[in-house]
């Protein structure tokens, strides 16, 4: 499917000069933004995530966010709950 879209298979696994996966890094920044700007998550989160899923690998985005919540040991359960609810709503 990636070849038909005109992308190389390796395009999804780009890394920065330190070897960090850029997809994971950008997803982490998005999570931190939503955590700092909870109103943005409430007002525009669904739209933003839905658009990202339309342009990126949606499954990879969901898995990356789930892993980030798990690995960060998200102590703010209200935020984690809100983020999971937003993603769940999009799946419907």
């Amino acid at each position: 499917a990636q070849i038909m879209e005109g992308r190389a298979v390796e395009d999804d696994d780009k890394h920065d000069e330190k070897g960090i996966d850029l997809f994971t890094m950008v997803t982490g920044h998005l999570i931190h933004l939503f955590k700092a700007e909870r109103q943005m998550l409430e007002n525009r989160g669904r739209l933003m995530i839905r658009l990202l899923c339309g342009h990126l690998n949606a499954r990879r985005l969901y898995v990356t966010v789930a892993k980030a919540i798990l690995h960060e040991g998200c102590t703010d359960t209200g935020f984690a709950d809100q983020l999971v609810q937003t993603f769940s709503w999009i799946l419907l």
Side-chain angles (χ1 to χ4, degrees):
Q2 289 175 335
I3 294 170
M4 290 173 48
E5 292 174 358
R7 299 183 309 156
V9 174
E10 300 84 29
D11 284 351
D12 283 343
D13 295 324
K14 299 247 185 224
H15 294 77
D16 70 359
E17 62 277 350
K18 296 178 184 176
I20 298 171
D21 176 29
L22 293 177
F23 189 92
T24 303
M25 187 172 66
V26 170
T27 303
H29 287 301
L30 181 65
I31 291 170
H32 289 293
L33 175 66
F34 282 151
K35 193 172 190 177
E37 301 287 336
R38 296 285 285 273
Q39 197 67 31
M40 181 187 299
L41 176 59
E42 291 176 16
N43 295 336
R44 305 236 180 222
R46 290 179 183 173
L47 175 63
M48 292 171 71
I49 293 168
R50 195 173 68 229
L51 290 172
L52 282 172
C53 288
H55 294 288
L56 302 173
N57 182 335
R59 182 181 187 283
R60 185 173 180 193
L61 180 64
Y62 276 66
V63 169
T64 303
V65 168
K67 286 180 180 178
I69 291 172
L70 181 66
H71 289 293
E72 287 185 13
C74 196
T75 55
D76 186 353
T77 55
F79 170 71
D81 183 53
Q82 186 177 9
L83 195 57
V84 168
Q85 285 181 1
T86 301
F87 273 87
S88 296
W89 183 88
I90 293 168
L91 280 174
L92 296 175

